[in-house]
Every structure is written in C-alpha cells, then in structure tokens.
Amino acid sequence: QSALTQPRSVSGSPGQSVTISCTGTSSDVGGYNYVSWYQQDPGKVPKLMIYDVSKRPSGVPDRFSGSKSGNTASLTISGLQAEDEADYYCCSYAGSYVVFGGGTKLTVL
Amino acid sequence: VQLLESGGGLVQPGGSLRLSCAASGFTFSTYAMSWVRQAPGKGLEWVSAISGGDDSTYYADSVKGRFTISRDNSKNTLYLQMNSLRAEDTAVYYCAKGTGGNYWRPIEPWGQGTLVTVSS
C-alpha cells in the first residue's frame, strides 16, 4: 500500500494556471476512475474539490479541473487566486483499500 | 451534517484507545464512514472505512490487526478501537462521511479531528 506520488510543491502567479500531478500504478489510479482531490488550508479540515477524476462538487469553482492519463491523474487550477494557496492531496481507490498522495503545497507568488 | 470526534489523548506505547464520532444531519446507516489520520506536519493517511448498509470493514496495512472500526447505527456513532499503539500512530484522527454507501466513494465532510499522542 504505497502512497501515490505528488510533487512536494508547485507555484504560480495570480491569473496563471498550475497543474499538480498524482502518479500511481495500474492497481490504483490507472485501474479505476475513482480519483479525488482534497484541498487543505493550514490548520483546517480537508475539503473535497474533485471526485471521479473530473467531477466537481457543487460550490467548487470551475477553475478547478481534473483529468487522468494512464497511471497519472492531474489537478489543474486556472486563473490562480491567492486563496488557492493550500496543500492538495490526491486520493484513489485501490481495489481493497484507499490511498492518498503525499500532498503538494501550492504557493501563489 | 455534523461529525464530532472524541476520545483522543495521550497513551503509552502498547496501550489502547477508543475514538468515537457522533454523526448527525443525515441517515447515518446508509453511508460509508472513514477514519483518516494526519501525523504532525505530515500528509493524509487513510486508516479504515466501513460501508453503509452491510457494514463491511476495510483497513490500511499499517493498522490491520491492531485497529477495529465499527458503527452503532442506533446511536449514529462511528468508533475506532485502537490497540497495541505505537509512536508512529501519533496523529490527528479525522472522522469523515462517505458520499455514498461504498467505502471507496469520496469523503466529505470531515470532522474537526481528535489528537492521539502515543508517548511514554
């Protein structure tokens, strides 16, 4: 049960787009369309941003989008805003368990 | 929807602790529930989940055989019995509601968390 691989950090300027990758295996990310993404502000509780690879819960801005290719899922944030600065975690179903990525710190420059 | 965890605290290595999560605002028995933990300054780690409906249980390898998840649908309460605790189990433990009955469905919302510290 190895954690999914995410970059430790990414950064971008306001208005730009950033993409966070999440790499797993054919037993998790690549095997199912059940990848979700969570946003966690410092000291706060995680919040669901994307589920089933590319679906957005109500209330999540359409600046947030998800996709998947093979064993790698991606979260793209377009029109970056200061409030997007947070930690982001991917999560995938893996057949008999659930696995999170190590997390990515997004810095808005 | 409200999720209120309790039961965290300081425990010695090898000791036991039982976490509770009181749920309200939804039909508790029909939704999967999960425990996710976060060690200080670290990332999220899925710990365990229980399905809605048939109450099937699932565990991370790191806690299998030591932790037991259960639910009391008459009390709308989720539990996590933690035995043989180790220093590496030190974390904030979040209770979270699944968005469906299957344990692997996305989880939202999350409770505020309860801190478990394993230390002598």
Side-chain angles (χ1 to χ4, degrees):
Chain A
Q1 294 185 359
S2 299
L4 305 175
T5 300
Q6 297 181 234
R8 283 188 176 266
S9 65
V10 297
S11 63
S13 300
Q16 288 185 332
S17 292
V18 294
T19 297
I20 300 172
S21 62
C22 170
T23 302
T25 70
S26 58
S27 297
D28 39 61
V29 174
Y32 309 93
N33 288 324
Y34 298 132
V35 176
S36 51
W37 290 88
Y38 297 86
Q39 176 192 63
Q40 186 179 33
D41 291 325
K44 301 291 188 180
V45 170
K47 175 187 174 184
L48 179 66
M49 303 301 284
I50 294 287
Y51 68 99
D52 293 354
V53 176
S54 60
K55 298 177 182 177
R56 271 189 317 275
S58 60
V60 172
D62 59 7
R63 302 184 295 103
F64 291 83
S65 63
S67 62
K68 190 186 84 166
S69 177
N71 297 336
T72 298
S74 299
L75 172 70
T76 298
I77 309 171
S78 59
L80 207 56
Q81 299 182 2
E83 67 206 49
D84 299 332
E85 185 162 293
D87 293 325
Y88 291 84
Y89 296 90
C90 61
C91 179
S92 176
Y93 174 57
S96 59
Y97 61 94
V98 170
V99 61
F100 279 93
T104 298
K105 180 176 181 56
L106 169 62
T107 300
V108 180
L109 302 171
Chain B
V1 173
Q2 284 198 326
L3 301 170
L4 186 59
E5 301 99 333
S6 61
L10 175 64
V11 61
Q12 292 189 339
S16 297
L17 214 54
R18 188 176 83 155
L19 305 183
S20 299
C21 173
S24 61
F26 63 102
T27 307
F28 181 72
S29 63
T30 64
Y31 287 90
M33 297 294 296
S34 298
W35 290 99
V36 178
R37 67 185 180 185
Q38 187 168 33
K42 301 298 184 181
L44 301 174
E45 181 187 11
W46 179 81
V47 173
S48 181
I50 185 167
S51 294
D54 66 3
D55 293 350
S56 297
T57 58
Y58 306 86
Y59 299 93
D61 282 350
S62 58
V63 306
K64 198 174 294 183
R66 300 188 298 123
F67 290 11
T68 301
I69 190 172
S70 62
R71 65 195 302 166
D72 185 335
N73 293 328
S74 68
K75 295 182 178 179
N76 288 353
T77 301
L78 176 73
Y79 302 101
L80 186 68
Q81 177 66 43
M82 303 186 296
N83 299 330
S84 302
L85 282 161
R86 307 165 180 166
E88 54 264 36
D89 295 319
T90 294
V92 172
Y93 284 73
Y94 293 104
C95 161
K97 171 187 168 292
T99 53
N102 293 311
Y103 80 96
W104 38 262
R105 293 308 294 151
I107 48 180
E108 181 79 1
W110 301 48
Q112 290 302 307
T114 186
L115 177 62
V116 172
T117 303
V118 184
S119 175
S120 55

